Amino acid sequence: MQTHFSETARAKPQILEADRILRTCVHCGFCNATCPTYQLLGDERDGPRGRIYLMKELLESDEGDEQITQETQLHLDRCLSCRSCETTCPSGVEYHKLLDIGRAEVDRRVGRRPSERAMRLGLRTALVEPGRFKALLALGQTFRPLVPHDLRDKIPARVPHRQHRPDPARHTRQMLILEGCVQPGLAPNTNDAAARVLDRLGIGTRSAREAGCCGAIDFHLNAQQAGRERMRANIDAWWPLIEGVDESGGESGKAGVEAIVQTASGCGAFVKEYGEMLADDPEYAVKAKRVSELAKDLVEILREEDLEALGAAHPSARLAFHCPCTLQHAQKLGGAVESVLTRLGFSLAPVQDAHLCCGSAGTYSITQPTLAKRLRDNKMDALEAQSPDTIVTANIGCQSHLNGAGRTPVRHWIELVDELLATAETDQSAIPPRQAGARN
């Protein structure tokens, strides 16, 4: 794609980056075939190719250009940032980076209505602090019948918390686990289940109390500097454990953690980009690059381990797996969870159009509720087509959004693995010692 930026404009880092990305696009339109919003709306401006033209026009235009309107902003807002177009694109267009630049520029020029600013600030305030979110969630669960209809299906029932996590100190291998911001409130057993499964594999999991939201919520609501500050705060919280420093600040005598594990694929995709997003920060560039190198989705750990040695009983449940966009398109791990579940004996139902987004997309299900519900219902139809007992996924946002339909239960896949292994251990302990010896 030919661009027309002045030398003055190209002196700006964001314009130089946009120019590079735009020039890789050959406007072939393959991306539209896998774009969820284009499939629903059929409007070129609601597909990646059309949005790329809108952003090109925006970035090449002069300040005060009357063609840059709230309509441009609307079409960019409707993008899910699912990155399915990037998986499809034969030219390797880094669309999500261009979208971040375009959204920031259109917001700067057009601004937002007071109601939109209030909602976005409210989301950033409510969601990013785990303690605050838990309190608000409990309040919402108590008064759910009085909550506005658009938000009611986003308030799940209270989940009993097992509150058991093995002591990590008994293992030589150590990993950090990102606790997250909304997941401790919405699905408190997920990280505990991950810790128990990793414990069975001889891996201890630790968390840094000072670490919080990964920064994705702020960043994708166009508070990009606030998002970067959260990245820096997490790096500061993790760095002593990465270097092998104990809580008192002295050398622990142990090697640093070998990985930073995320059970929410959305967080994992974002943390893996810390190094790139802080590359120009002289104080944090090296540390951010190291953090991104250590960041692993949970499935990346499990697929390398000897799962068969765990002696799991053959499960009877039939599952359908929803692969989040952040797992398959951002992290390029499509098929990885399915492979692990198959190795453990689970039966997986095929899912049509598995590449399409469910409509969760961070805060999209709140900012674009009509489109999000249509995408959710389509996704649930595809997931339920083979009548599975349970639907599993790998991202708390998708899990919560899909459960809002009130149909087949949706859980994190690691919880079913944990329950399967716990059942196998119970069955084995029930065997009389003599019989158990005869089996060995």
Side-chain angles (χ1 to χ4, degrees):
M1 180 177 286
Q2 190 175 18
T3 58
H4 300 91
F5 292 112
S6 67
E7 287 303 314
T8 302
R10 284 169 54 83
K12 300 176 182 179
Q14 71 272 27
I15 297 298
L16 193 63
E17 176 74 343
D19 186 43
R20 179 188 67 80
I21 298 168
L22 286 166
R23 285 177 176 272
T24 63
C25 177
V26 297
H27 39 92
C28 63
F30 288 175
C31 51
N32 283 347
T34 57
C35 173
T37 52
Y38 182 78
Q39 298 303 308
L40 288 182
L41 301 172
D43 188 329
E44 179 77 11
R45 296 167 299 176
D46 287 312
R49 181 173 62 180
R51 291 188 182 110
I52 286 173
Y53 274 108
L54 288 175
M55 288 186 280
K56 177 179 182 293
E57 180 183 59
L58 163 70
L59 296 171
E60 287 180 343
S61 66
D62 296 326
E63 292 281 347
D65 191 323
E66 293 182 358
Q67 292 184 344
I68 307 305
T69 66
Q70 288 183 340
E71 190 173 2
T72 300
Q73 188 181 58
L74 172 65
H75 293 298
L76 298 190
D77 282 350
R78 282 179 179 167
C79 178
L80 292 141
S81 303
C82 69
R83 297 173 63 173
S84 181
C85 57
E86 293 186 13
T87 299
T88 308
C89 180
S91 301
V93 176
E94 294 177 293
Y95 171 84
H96 73 288
K97 296 180 182 178
L98 181 64
L99 184 66
D100 288 336
I101 295 169
R103 281 176 166 169
E105 182 64 11
V106 77
D107 276 15
R108 185 182 71 80
R109 293 204 200 179
V110 175
R112 288 195 178 271
R113 293 187 294 270
S115 59
E116 289 182 302
R117 292 200 302 271
M119 179 177 66
R120 287 169 171 254
L121 178 60
L123 288 171
R124 291 176 48 219
T125 303
L127 299 180
V128 299
E129 297 293 341
R132 182 184 301 139
F133 177 76
K134 280 185 179 181
L136 291 171
L137 177 62
L139 192 65
Q141 288 167 333
T142 301
F143 297 101
R144 189 175 186 274
L146 305 177
V147 172
H149 187 267
D150 286 346
L151 294 177
R152 198 174 302 160
D153 64 0
K154 302 187 184 306
I155 302 175
R158 288 185 173 88
V159 178
H161 188 189
R162 290 177 61 183
Q163 293 184 324
H164 167 63
R165 196 176 293 194
D167 180 7
R170 61 201 190 105
H171 298 298
T172 302
R173 296 181 65 187
Q174 295 286 304
M175 295 183 183
L176 268 168
I177 192 165
L178 176 63
E179 300 294 349
C181 47
V182 300
Q183 185 167 279
L186 292 172
N189 293 308
T190 299
N191 275 7
D192 287 354
R196 289 190 292 268
V197 172
L198 291 172
D199 178 73
R200 294 181 180 99
L201 294 166
I203 300 170
T205 53
R206 305 172 66 183
S207 61
R209 289 188 299 271
E210 297 82 4
C213 175
C214 66
I217 290 175
D218 283 317
F219 199 89
H220 295 309
L221 285 173
N222 219 18
Q224 295 179 1
Q225 290 309 311
R228 288 190 173 90
E229 285 305 313
R230 292 195 183 278
M231 297 179 216
R232 296 182 182 102
N234 285 341
I235 292 170
D236 289 341
W238 291 332
W239 199 249
L241 294 171
I242 291 172
E243 288 195 311
V245 176
D246 63 25
E247 294 183 357
S248 66
E251 293 293 332
S252 66
K254 298 180 180 179
V257 294
E258 63 179 88
I260 303 171
V261 183
Q262 288 88 36
T263 55
S265 62
C267 298
F270 197 73
V271 175
K272 286 182 177 182
E273 294 191 344
Y274 274 23
E276 194 168 349
M277 289 188 284
L278 294 176
D280 295 330
D281 186 322
E283 185 178 351
Y284 282 89
V286 173
K287 292 181 179 180
K289 181 175 183 292
R290 179 60 179 152
V291 164
S292 291
E293 291 169 348
L294 290 173
K296 301 288 183 185
D297 188 89
L298 178 62
V299 74
E300 294 182 271
I301 306 299
L302 263 61
R303 70 179 179 179
E304 302 299 326
E305 300 298 321
D306 185 6
L307 302 178
E308 290 74 14
L310 296 174
H314 190 76
S316 58
R318 180 171 167 81
L319 308 180
F321 178 65
H322 165 61
C323 191
C325 299
T326 44
L327 193 67
Q328 61 176 314
H329 302 308
Q331 299 194 60
K332 309 298 182 188
L333 290 171
V337 173
E338 296 94 320
S339 177
V340 165
L341 292 173
T342 300
R343 284 172 60 190
L344 289 167
F346 285 99
S347 173
L348 296 180
V351 179
Q352 188 175 4
D353 293 331
H355 63 283
L356 292 179
C357 183
C358 70
S360 172
T363 58
Y364 188 93
S365 62
I366 298 173
T367 60
Q368 301 288 331
T370 302
L371 289 174
K373 285 182 180 178
R374 290 176 65 185
L375 291 167
R376 182 192 69 186
D377 292 344
N378 291 345
K379 179 60 68 175
M380 287 300 295
D381 289 344
L383 290 165
E384 291 177 335
Q386 300 296 320
S387 302
D389 300 303
T390 305
I391 296 168
V392 291
T393 188
N395 189 51
I396 183 58
C398 302
Q399 181 181 342
S400 179
H401 182 55
L402 292 173
N403 269 326
R407 294 164 60 170
T408 304
V410 184
R411 304 179 65 191
H412 195 288
W413 64 272
I414 196 61
E415 292 189 49
L416 273 71
V417 172
D418 177 47
E419 290 169 5
L420 177 70
L421 298 178
T423 299
E425 290 169 356
T426 300
D427 292 345
Q428 183 65 24
S429 64
I431 301 172
R434 189 169 296 178
Q435 292 184 33
R439 280 189 165 195
N440 294 330

